[in-house]
Amino acid sequence: MKLTIVEYPDRRLRLKSKEVTSFNSKLHNLLDSMYPIMMDTNGIGLAAIQVAYPLKALILNIPDEEGEQPKENLLEIINPIVTLQNGETIYQEGCLSVPKFYEDIKRFETLTLNYQDRDGNTQMLEADGLLAIAIQHEMDHLEGVLFIDKLSYSRRKKFEKEYKRMQKEQKNS
Ligand SMILES: [Zn+2]
Protein backbone atom coordinates (compact mmCIF):
# COMPACT_ATOMS: atom_id res chain seq x y z
CA MET A 1 0.00 0.00 0.00
CA LYS A 2 1.60 3.28 -1.11
CA LEU A 3 0.83 6.12 1.25
CA THR A 4 1.74 9.80 1.28
CA ILE A 5 1.47 12.24 4.15
CA VAL A 6 -1.36 14.74 3.96
CA GLU A 7 -0.05 18.22 4.76
CA TYR A 8 -1.69 21.33 6.13
CA PRO A 9 -3.78 23.13 4.87
CA ASP A 10 -5.34 20.04 3.22
CA ARG A 11 -8.97 19.89 4.41
CA ARG A 12 -8.84 16.14 4.95
CA LEU A 13 -6.91 16.82 8.15
CA ARG A 14 -10.16 18.31 9.49
CA LEU A 15 -12.17 15.10 9.09
CA LYS A 16 -13.38 13.31 12.20
CA SER A 17 -12.09 9.77 12.06
CA LYS A 18 -14.50 6.84 12.34
CA GLU A 19 -14.32 3.99 14.78
CA VAL A 20 -12.61 0.87 13.45
CA THR A 21 -15.02 -2.07 13.42
CA SER A 22 -13.19 -4.58 11.21
CA PHE A 23 -9.83 -5.78 12.48
CA ASN A 24 -9.05 -7.41 9.16
CA SER A 25 -6.18 -7.56 6.68
CA LYS A 26 -7.18 -4.14 5.31
CA LEU A 27 -6.49 -2.60 8.70
CA HIS A 28 -3.29 -4.62 9.06
CA ASN A 29 -2.09 -3.46 5.63
CA LEU A 30 -2.78 0.12 6.56
CA LEU A 31 -0.87 -0.17 9.86
CA ASP A 32 2.00 -2.01 8.16
CA SER A 33 2.23 0.73 5.52
CA MET A 34 2.07 3.56 8.07
CA TYR A 35 5.12 2.30 9.95
CA PRO A 36 7.80 2.83 7.25
CA ILE A 37 6.43 6.22 6.26
CA MET A 38 6.60 7.36 9.90
CA MET A 39 10.17 6.10 10.25
CA ASP A 40 11.29 7.54 6.89
CA THR A 41 10.05 10.98 7.89
CA ASN A 42 11.61 10.79 11.39
CA GLY A 43 8.24 10.81 13.10
CA ILE A 44 7.37 9.44 16.53
CA GLY A 45 3.63 9.21 15.85
CA LEU A 46 1.25 9.02 12.91
CA ALA A 47 -2.54 8.96 12.75
CA ALA A 48 -4.34 7.21 9.88
CA ILE A 49 -5.94 10.47 8.73
CA GLN A 50 -2.43 11.82 8.11
CA VAL A 51 -2.21 9.29 5.28
CA ALA A 52 -5.80 10.04 4.18
CA TYR A 53 -7.62 7.25 6.05
CA PRO A 54 -10.21 8.74 8.43
CA LEU A 55 -10.07 5.84 10.88
CA LYS A 56 -9.46 5.84 14.62
CA ALA A 57 -6.04 4.27 14.27
CA LEU A 58 -2.63 5.63 15.14
CA ILE A 59 0.89 4.38 15.63
CA LEU A 60 3.60 5.59 18.00
CA ASN A 61 7.26 4.82 18.42
CA ILE A 62 8.81 6.94 21.15
CA PRO A 63 12.64 7.07 21.07
CA ASP A 64 14.36 5.24 23.94
CA GLU A 65 17.18 6.69 26.10
CA GLU A 66 19.65 6.21 23.23
CA GLY A 67 17.32 7.98 20.83
CA GLU A 68 16.66 4.71 19.02
CA GLN A 69 13.22 3.57 17.81
CA PRO A 70 13.39 -0.23 17.68
CA LYS A 71 10.31 -1.79 16.12
CA GLU A 72 9.49 -3.71 19.31
CA ASN A 73 8.62 -0.33 20.86
CA LEU A 74 5.98 0.30 18.19
CA LEU A 75 2.51 0.87 19.59
CA GLU A 76 -0.57 0.40 17.41
CA ILE A 77 -3.57 2.07 18.98
CA ILE A 78 -7.09 1.57 17.65
CA ASN A 79 -10.23 3.29 18.97
CA PRO A 80 -8.48 5.00 21.90
CA ILE A 81 -10.39 6.45 24.84
CA VAL A 82 -8.70 8.45 27.60
CA THR A 83 -10.15 7.36 30.95
CA LEU A 84 -7.94 9.45 33.27
CA GLN A 85 -5.76 12.52 32.75
CA ASN A 86 -3.77 14.57 35.21
CA GLY A 87 -1.20 17.31 35.58
CA GLU A 88 0.16 19.75 33.08
CA THR A 89 3.24 19.78 30.87
CA ILE A 90 4.58 21.93 28.05
CA TYR A 91 6.55 20.46 25.16
CA GLN A 92 7.78 21.75 21.83
CA GLU A 93 5.66 19.78 19.38
CA GLY A 94 5.96 19.22 15.68
CA CYS A 95 3.80 17.33 13.20
CA LEU A 96 4.50 15.39 10.00
CA SER A 97 1.47 17.17 8.49
CA VAL A 98 2.85 20.60 9.40
CA PRO A 99 6.49 20.11 8.39
CA LYS A 100 9.33 22.17 9.83
CA PHE A 101 7.22 24.01 12.38
CA TYR A 102 7.57 23.59 16.15
CA GLU A 103 5.71 25.26 18.98
CA ASP A 104 5.30 24.88 22.73
CA ILE A 105 1.97 23.21 23.48
CA LYS A 106 0.35 22.56 26.86
CA ARG A 107 -0.88 18.99 27.52
CA PHE A 108 -1.88 16.73 30.38
CA GLU A 109 1.18 15.20 32.03
CA THR A 110 -0.15 11.69 32.58
CA LEU A 111 -3.05 9.71 31.22
CA THR A 112 -4.68 6.32 31.17
CA LEU A 113 -5.84 4.98 27.85
CA ASN A 114 -8.16 2.19 26.83
CA TYR A 115 -7.75 1.04 23.25
CA GLN A 116 -7.78 -1.96 20.97
CA ASP A 117 -4.83 -3.59 19.28
CA ARG A 118 -4.76 -4.66 15.60
CA ASP A 119 -6.67 -7.83 16.44
CA GLY A 120 -9.39 -6.01 18.35
CA ASN A 121 -8.23 -7.05 21.81
CA THR A 122 -8.88 -4.49 24.53
CA GLN A 123 -5.73 -2.98 26.01
CA MET A 124 -4.94 -0.51 28.76
CA LEU A 125 -1.98 1.81 28.93
CA GLU A 126 -0.70 4.28 31.53
CA ALA A 127 1.46 6.96 29.95
CA ASP A 128 3.58 9.89 31.01
CA GLY A 129 6.39 11.95 29.46
CA LEU A 130 6.68 12.13 25.69
CA LEU A 131 4.41 9.11 25.21
CA ALA A 132 1.52 10.87 26.97
CA ILE A 133 2.14 14.01 24.91
CA ALA A 134 2.30 12.09 21.64
CA ILE A 135 -0.91 10.17 22.43
CA GLN A 136 -2.77 13.46 22.99
CA HIS A 137 -1.30 14.94 19.79
CA GLU A 138 -2.30 11.91 17.70
CA MET A 139 -5.75 11.63 19.31
CA ASP A 140 -6.36 15.26 18.35
CA HIS A 141 -5.81 14.22 14.72
CA LEU A 142 -8.72 11.75 15.07
CA GLU A 143 -10.96 14.73 15.91
CA GLY A 144 -9.64 16.86 13.04
CA VAL A 145 -7.58 19.01 15.41
CA LEU A 146 -3.98 20.10 14.77
CA PHE A 147 -1.46 21.35 17.33
CA ILE A 148 -1.40 24.74 15.61
CA ASP A 149 -5.09 25.11 16.57
CA LYS A 150 -3.90 25.42 20.17
CA LEU A 151 -1.73 28.47 19.50
CA SER A 152 -2.75 31.92 20.66
CA TYR A 153 -4.17 34.26 18.03
CA SER A 154 -0.90 36.14 17.53
CA ARG A 155 1.23 32.98 17.35
CA ARG A 156 -1.22 31.46 14.90
CA LYS A 157 -0.96 34.56 12.68
CA LYS A 158 2.81 34.31 12.82
CA PHE A 159 2.59 30.63 11.90
CA GLU A 160 0.36 31.25 8.86
CA LYS A 161 2.81 33.84 7.58
CA GLU A 162 5.91 31.70 8.13
CA TYR A 163 4.27 28.57 6.75
CA LYS A 164 3.20 30.29 3.55
CA ARG A 165 6.69 31.68 3.10
CA MET A 166 8.23 28.22 3.60
CA GLN A 167 5.82 26.62 1.12
CA LYS A 168 6.71 29.28 -1.46
CA GLU A 169 10.42 28.69 -0.94
CA GLN A 170 9.91 24.96 -1.31
CA LYS A 171 8.13 25.44 -4.64
CA ASN A 172 10.89 27.73 -5.93
CA SER A 173 13.73 25.41 -4.98
ZN1 LIG B 1 0.55 15.53 14.01
Side-chain angles (χ1 to χ4, degrees):
M1 195 186 283
K2 186 87 185 89
L3 302 173
T4 49
I5 293 191
V6 177
E7 290 184 5
Y8 181 83
D10 194 308
R11 298 296 301 169
R12 285 175 292 181
L13 291 169
R14 297 305 182 187
L15 292 173
K16 278 197 204 297
S17 292
K18 294 213 162 63
E19 197 161 305
V20 173
T21 51
S22 303
F23 296 83
N24 53 15
S25 61
K26 248 180 165 169
L27 175 70
H28 297 172
N29 274 337
L30 174 63
L31 293 167
D32 290 341
S33 306
M34 284 168 66
Y35 176 72
I37 200 168
M38 178 178 77
M39 298 310 285
D40 288 349
T41 48
N42 299 312
I44 62 167
L46 186 67
I49 187 57
Q50 291 181 274
V51 290
Y53 283 77
L55 290 172
K56 289 192 175 177
L58 59 96
I59 60 171
L60 294 162
N61 197 346
I62 305 300
D64 61 19
E65 277 124 62
E66 278 86 49
E68 304 289 327
Q69 293 170 283
K71 195 168 182 185
E72 59 262 31
N73 291 351
L74 175 67
L75 275 171
E76 296 175 335
I77 294 178
I78 318 295
N79 300 332
I81 295 169
V82 172
T83 55
L84 271 175
Q85 47 194 19
N86 272 303
E88 199 177 291
T89 185
I90 291 176
Y91 186 80
Q92 193 174 61
E93 294 186 19
C95 179
L96 296 177
S97 294
V98 190
K100 298 191 187 104
F101 192 80
Y102 302 90
E103 274 285 356
D104 284 347
I105 302 293
K106 190 160 71 176
R107 301 283 186 186
F108 292 106
E109 194 174 18
T110 63
L111 58 84
T112 305
L113 193 70
N114 284 349
Y115 67 98
Q116 285 168 287
D117 62 23
R118 64 159 60 203
D119 298 312
N121 303 308
T122 304
Q123 306 284 350
M124 203 262 278
L125 174 71
E126 285 177 3
D128 60 10
L130 186 52
L131 176 59
I133 291 164
I135 288 171
Q136 292 169 79
H137 177 113
E138 297 310 329
M139 283 183 72
D140 274 353
H141 277 300
L142 307 184
E143 299 301 320
V145 173
L146 300 172
F147 78 112
I148 50 170
D149 299 339
K150 299 183 182 291
L151 299 176
S152 69
Y153 181 77
S154 58
R155 277 161 81 206
R156 179 60 180 258
K157 281 270 182 215
K158 209 177 129 214
F159 159 75
E160 297 293 349
K161 224 170 133 183
E162 277 178 27
Y163 195 76
K164 265 181 206 140
R165 183 175 51 78
M166 280 194 310
Q167 280 186 321
K168 224 187 225 167
E169 278 172 11
Q170 238 169 23
K171 251 179 232 159
N172 292 341
S173 67

